[in-house]
Amino acid sequence: MSEEQIKNLEKQFEERIARDEKIEPKDWMPDKYRQTHIRQMSQHAHSEIVGMLPEGNWISRAPTLRRKVALLAKVQDEAGHGLYLYSACETLGISRDALYEQLHSGKAKYSSIFNYPTVTWADMGAVGWLVDGAAIINQVPLCSTSFGPYARAMVRVCKEESFHQRQGYEIMLKLTQGTPEQIDMAQDALNRWWWPSLMMLGPTDAESVHTEQSMKWKLKRKSNDDLRQQFIDQTVPQAELIGLTIPDPDLKWNEERGSYDFGEINWDEFWQVVKGHGPMNKERMKARIDAWEGGEWVRDAAMAHAEKKAERKIKQAI
Amino acid sequence: MKNENLYNYILGIADNSLILGQRLGELTGHGPSLETDIACTNMSLDLFGQVRSYYQYAAKLKGGDATEDTIAFLRKERDYVNVLLVEQPDRDFAYTMARQFLFDVYHLLFLQELQKSHDITLTAIAKKSIKEVSYHQRFSTDWIKRLGDGTTVSHDKMQEAIDSLWTYTDELFHQTAADKAMVAEGIGVDVTALKVKYYSLVNAVLEEATLKIPESKWFQKGGKKGIHTEHFGYILSNMQYMQLAYPNMEW
Ligand SMILES: [Fe+2]
Ligand SMILES: [Fe+2]
Ligand SMILES: [Fe+2]
């Protein structure tokens, strides 16, 4: 193709997106579009499966049968989200194995929030309420993103994430109606998860890369700082309703802006965790790599068995 | 307690699902693939769902302050009556699937009989559980075949798992005092009558999977009397942690 033809295709492509048409896997797309989507969708998929670990940590110790069943179902949903997102990614011509490879080698990132430990039962409440809550704020705009398979995956994922968020909030609510020890447990969890949840919405706009291009492709529809403000404005009244205190002395309603002002985020901590030095980065990666490497013989056996079965079928047919 | 035999009989059924569900739940997030991870979590969920129905019924029989949770979490080691098979650890995926398969075949045969019980609550639970357990059995059977007739490595690992878990199969067919009383009343299942069918089903799958049927005639027992393996206390210390560390609270 001549340079001019490619320019033409690109122009038509951008026009389709501007008209709110969906791009499907078989459609022509600029290579940069493909690579950007592989990066963002796989990062999202990795976050879902790494995110299973901190909550999986409490399955065997859930306090009641009802809570245990709900937690199992939640973590299973996250595995399901990982599965759709990897499949959506595969439509762009990359295998799930290759994506795992990128995760394990550290080339691909996942949401840094999962590098914090879940130390008490209240963390199951805080994670559902805040982490799934922030995930929804990030993801609802993606339900109308330009790449069809991603947009459709997000519609389904967001429905389940909002269920998780309500479930997490309900765990917190129950704790705050309990004994002083339970109330302390809830407040402590909020204290530990609040700031990392704010960081989860991404670096401040001044430091955020690729934003303009992503806006055009509808991979990003609002800036990180806007999303963060939306999350804070939504969450503060929820905390007040159950008698918990947001651990930010600078938090204050700003009548003029119709929003909360809030204190400074410790971006050094954020970058430290992104760079691999959070409290659980090494353990999370080790758990994923162990599961993958430890499962290799199982996957090989399944493949070998399927081949044997197919061979037998052919022989029978002859 | 008026219905003590029935109460004990229900625990004899439900404790198996409780402990197997607990074991499967430990694996969530660590499976050899996303698909197997989801399937094992799903089986755990099914089993806990069944456990809740059984314990809710048992709590009603017991009366007083009993709830599904006091029954699940607040007994001592010697009061759990699950078979030794279900408490065996997840040494690798072959052990997990072998344990599942050896239990599932029994579980399905058992539920098929339990749905004929004269106790309508048990019949209803059995009918609902059969659908779930049929799926478990298909899943574990497929994995016995895949691993048994897969690669040399997987074959050897599966053979080792079957060989070591075989010793726990006979206990499935031991009758307790509660069993005998409930069989006499037309409520319980005569487990001794399931044994021949069980081994013929199991052996057929092992053969198809190119695995050797273990010849050992030595079998372990004790779980149904509350005498467990050394693994059991650790299962409880995880499972009961919250209820013991924070007693008498609502969650
Ligand atoms: Fe998710
Ligand atoms: Fe997500
Ligand atoms: Fe979620």
Side-chain angles (χ1 to χ4, degrees):
Chain A
M1 247 184 289
S2 73
E3 216 167 291
E4 201 182 291
Q5 280 171 313
I6 293 179
K7 274 239 166 79
N8 228 341
L9 280 172
E10 275 175 6
K11 190 164 159 268
Q12 286 168 14
F13 179 84
E14 299 295 347
E15 282 166 2
R16 285 186 64 194
I17 293 180
R19 284 196 302 270
D20 263 338
E21 277 178 42
K22 291 281 175 258
I23 305 302
E24 295 300 332
K26 295 234 155 57
D27 297 348
W28 183 87
M29 61 183 77
D31 193 52
K32 185 149 183 243
Y33 182 89
R34 184 183 303 275
Q35 297 315 327
T36 304
H37 277 77
I38 290 176
R39 195 185 59 238
Q40 179 162 337
M41 288 159 67
S42 67
Q43 186 170 324
H44 191 166
H46 298 326
S47 302
E48 300 285 352
I49 59 159
V50 175
M52 293 169 71
L53 299 168
E55 290 184 282
N57 179 40
W58 278 89
I59 288 172
S60 67
R61 291 174 295 167
T64 66
L65 290 174
R66 183 172 83 91
R67 291 295 185 200
K68 194 190 286 280
V69 165
L71 185 58
L72 275 161
K74 187 201 180 209
V75 181
Q76 188 190 30
D77 284 347
E78 307 302 2
H81 299 169
L83 202 55
Y84 322 138
L85 285 162
Y86 284 124
S87 307
C89 224
E90 283 179 314
T91 67
L92 290 171
I94 185 163
S95 70
R96 207 201 298 178
D97 289 15
L99 295 170
Y100 278 149
E101 196 65 41
Q102 294 176 355
L103 172 67
H104 298 160
S105 69
K107 188 180 161 221
K109 295 275 177 252
Y110 57 90
S111 182
S112 270
I113 193 89
F114 301 119
N115 292 317
Y116 290 87
T118 52
V119 296
T120 71
W121 169 253
D123 292 14
M124 295 304 97
V127 168
W129 173 33
L130 304 173
V131 176
D132 287 76
I136 296 166
I137 298 244
N138 256 330
Q139 290 166 25
V140 164
L142 292 173
C143 294
S144 56
T145 191
S146 63
F147 186 51
Y150 195 26
R152 290 187 290 272
M154 281 305 98
V155 171
R156 191 162 167 189
V157 166
C158 281
K159 261 189 217 145
E160 292 181 348
E161 302 296 13
S162 61
F163 183 75
H164 298 164
Q165 198 230 359
R166 283 201 297 277
Q167 187 172 288
Y169 186 62
E170 199 260 332
I171 290 176
M172 293 303 257
L173 169 68
K174 195 82 187 172
L175 289 171
T176 57
Q177 293 169 339
T179 63
E181 217 176 349
Q182 285 174 300
I183 295 167
D184 285 350
M185 191 194 273
Q187 182 63 53
D188 168 66
L190 173 58
N191 294 349
R192 284 180 289 107
W193 289 94
W194 175 253
W195 292 103
S197 300
L198 297 190
M199 294 175 198
M200 205 183 142
L201 293 148
T204 192
D205 295 345
E207 291 190 46
S208 179
V209 276
H210 327 288
T211 298
E212 199 187 324
Q213 178 81 85
S214 297
M215 290 276 186
K216 224 166 55 189
W217 288 340
K218 301 174 184 172
L219 262 174
K220 189 119 199 99
R221 318 212 66 172
K222 284 182 184 174
S223 76
N224 293 346
D225 287 335
D226 287 348
L227 293 170
R228 193 166 7 256
Q229 186 70 58
Q230 186 188 337
F231 175 73
I232 293 169
D233 291 347
Q234 163 189 309
T235 310
V236 173
Q238 293 171 350
E240 280 169 0
L241 197 64
I242 56 176
L244 294 177
T245 310
I246 302 283
D248 178 358
D250 297 325
L251 188 83
K252 208 170 73 222
W253 178 251
N254 181 324
E255 195 63 59
E256 213 172 295
R257 291 201 305 125
S259 267
Y260 284 92
D261 292 336
F262 55 96
E264 205 170 322
I265 293 173
N266 180 353
W267 292 111
D268 287 345
E269 175 182 325
F270 174 77
W271 290 114
Q272 179 180 329
V273 180
V274 169
K275 285 177 185 143
H277 306 293
M280 296 298 283
N281 295 61
K282 292 206 172 63
E283 285 82 352
R284 297 294 183 238
M285 237 352 76
K286 183 176 183 319
R288 285 314 315 157
I289 293 170
D290 285 353
W292 185 245
E293 289 178 354
E296 190 176 5
W297 68 271
V298 176
R299 299 187 305 273
D300 288 349
M303 196 94 86
H305 181 77
E307 278 165 19
K308 282 185 193 175
K309 239 169 119 176
E311 257 168 52
R312 266 176 237 148
K313 239 192 201 148
I314 293 167
K315 269 192 197 141
Q316 269 173 6
I318 300 167
Chain B
M1 200 195 316
K2 203 175 89 218
N3 285 307
E4 191 151 10
N5 279 323
L6 180 55
Y7 175 82
N8 288 330
Y9 185 68
I10 295 167
L11 298 193
I13 306 170
D15 287 0
N16 288 334
S17 298
L18 175 74
I19 300 302
L20 187 56
Q22 181 73 10
R23 276 296 191 211
L24 288 167
E26 293 166 357
L27 297 172
T28 300
H30 306 279
S33 66
L34 258 180
E35 288 81 355
T36 52
D37 210 306
I38 291 173
C40 287
T41 306
N42 204 49
M43 292 194 287
S44 176
L45 264 171
D46 288 343
L47 291 167
F48 280 115
Q50 295 165 18
V51 165
R52 294 189 67 191
S53 307
Y54 287 122
Y55 287 166
Q56 282 164 10
Y57 184 29
K60 218 158 61 186
L61 294 171
K62 191 160 191 203
D65 295 337
T67 66
E68 58 177 58
D69 291 320
T70 62
I71 298 176
F73 297 101
L74 293 175
R75 283 179 285 155
K76 307 285 187 223
E77 305 84 317
R78 295 279 279 104
D79 300 328
Y80 288 84
V81 290
N82 58 281
V83 292
L84 300 179
L85 175 64
V86 294
E87 68 197 53
Q88 297 311 305
D90 295 285
R91 296 191 196 281
D92 62 25
F93 192 67
Y95 271 85
T96 302
M97 285 300 105
R99 183 185 64 204
Q100 192 65 35
F101 169 69
L102 293 172
F103 183 72
D104 289 342
V105 174
Y106 160 81
H107 198 189
L108 190 57
L109 289 174
F110 176 84
L111 291 171
Q112 281 160 350
E113 291 306 310
L114 188 66
Q115 63 176 340
K116 302 175 199 157
S117 168
H118 290 167
D119 183 298
I120 51 163
T121 309
L122 290 181
T123 320
I125 301 174
K127 286 210 164 109
K128 185 185 157 275
S129 309
I130 279 177
K131 283 188 210 136
E132 297 166 347
V133 173
S134 309
Y135 165 78
H136 302 179
Q137 195 200 4
R138 269 204 307 281
F139 181 81
S140 61
T141 300
D142 283 348
W143 276 103
I144 299 293
K145 292 180 192 166
R146 276 190 202 112
L147 298 181
D149 190 17
T151 62
T152 330
V153 173
S154 72
H155 175 273
D156 293 352
K157 283 183 188 278
M158 186 44 93
Q159 187 70 57
E160 186 201 313
I162 291 284
D163 288 348
S164 33
L165 295 173
W166 196 255
T167 190
Y168 301 112
T169 53
D170 191 63
E171 189 189 13
L172 292 164
F173 310 101
H174 293 195
Q175 269 189 324
T176 63
D179 279 7
K180 285 178 191 154
M182 288 300 101
V183 171
E185 287 185 39
I187 290 174
V189 174
D190 178 3
V191 287
T192 61
L194 306 177
K195 189 167 171 175
V196 172
K197 183 111 188 257
Y198 173 85
Y199 283 108
S200 85
L201 288 170
V202 166
N203 292 352
V205 172
L206 295 183
E207 261 168 42
E208 200 189 325
T210 73
L211 294 162
K212 275 210 296 286
I213 297 159
E215 279 165 16
S216 166
K217 296 280 181 281
W218 298 101
F219 292 103
Q220 301 300 322
K221 58 176 193 288
K224 288 187 176 182
K225 294 200 165 99
I227 304 167
H228 293 279
T229 56
E230 289 184 353
H231 307 295
F232 194 69
Y234 297 95
I235 298 178
L236 289 193
S237 64
N238 263 323
M239 194 174 75
Q240 298 182 334
Y241 164 67
M242 287 297 292
Q243 289 283 345
L244 297 184
Y246 303 91
N248 301 314
M249 297 183 199
E250 300 273 322
W251 302 97

